[in-house]
């Protein structure tokens, strides 16, 4: 790339096309997020099931502790995706036993 000095600032040569590449952030799976949130809630002495249900039903993130960044993690996932993941795991595990 060519730069022309203008005062203190550098300005690129506008005759060249620039490329901007956004690197994808390592995406944590929903299953892993649930696991991390569950562990953080347990460590703080909360009932993880009750707290996660409270969050899913209300959308209020204060049901989730900020310990170990659990609140920020769970807010990266849509609540319906949390329910879908939990139900899928339950159904797969139970295989609708009689």
């Amino acid at each position: 790339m060519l730069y022309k000095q203008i005062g203190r600032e550098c300005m690129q040569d506008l005759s060249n096309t620039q490329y901007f590449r956004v690197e994808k952030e390592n995406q944590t799976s929903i299953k892993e997020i649930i696991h991390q949130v569950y562990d953080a809630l347990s460590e703080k002495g909360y009932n993880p099931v009750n707290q996660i249900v409270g969050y899913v039903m209300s959308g209020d993130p204060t049901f989730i502790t900020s310990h170990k960044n659990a609140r920020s993690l769970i807010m990266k996932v849509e609540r319906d995706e949390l329910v879908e993941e939990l139900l899928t795991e339950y159904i797969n595990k139970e295989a609708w036993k009689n």
Side-chain angles (χ1 to χ4, degrees):
M1 282 188 239
L2 299 173
Y3 293 93
K4 295 179 182 174
Q5 186 72 27
I6 301 176
R8 291 187 191 189
E9 299 177 27
C10 287
M11 186 171 180
Q12 284 184 291
D13 181 359
L14 298 178
S15 63
N16 292 325
T17 301
Q18 302 257 0
Y19 291 97
F20 185 78
R21 193 175 298 162
V22 177
E23 293 190 25
K24 291 184 179 179
E25 185 179 308
N26 288 340
Q27 293 187 346
T28 308
S29 72
I30 296 172
K31 188 180 296 189
E32 183 61 29
I33 288 173
I34 293 169
H35 181 72
Q36 290 177 20
V37 169
Y38 187 97
D39 287 347
L41 288 163
S42 294
E43 285 179 17
K44 293 303 279 183
Y46 297 107
N47 179 320
V49 173
N50 289 346
Q51 296 306 114
I52 292 170
V53 167
Y55 170 70
V56 169
M57 296 298 291
S58 70
D60 183 355
T62 61
F63 277 98
I64 307 300
T65 182
S66 59
H67 178 64
K68 290 190 168 181
N69 208 28
R71 189 177 296 157
S72 295
L73 279 173
I74 204 163
M75 290 173 61
K76 290 181 178 181
V77 180
E78 295 294 328
R79 291 181 295 147
D80 63 317
E81 293 174 325
L82 290 171
V83 171
E84 181 180 351
E85 181 68 29
L86 292 166
L87 280 173
T88 300
E89 284 299 310
Y90 176 78
I91 290 168
N92 288 341
K93 181 181 176 189
E94 292 299 312
W96 297 108
K97 298 175 190 175
N98 290 337

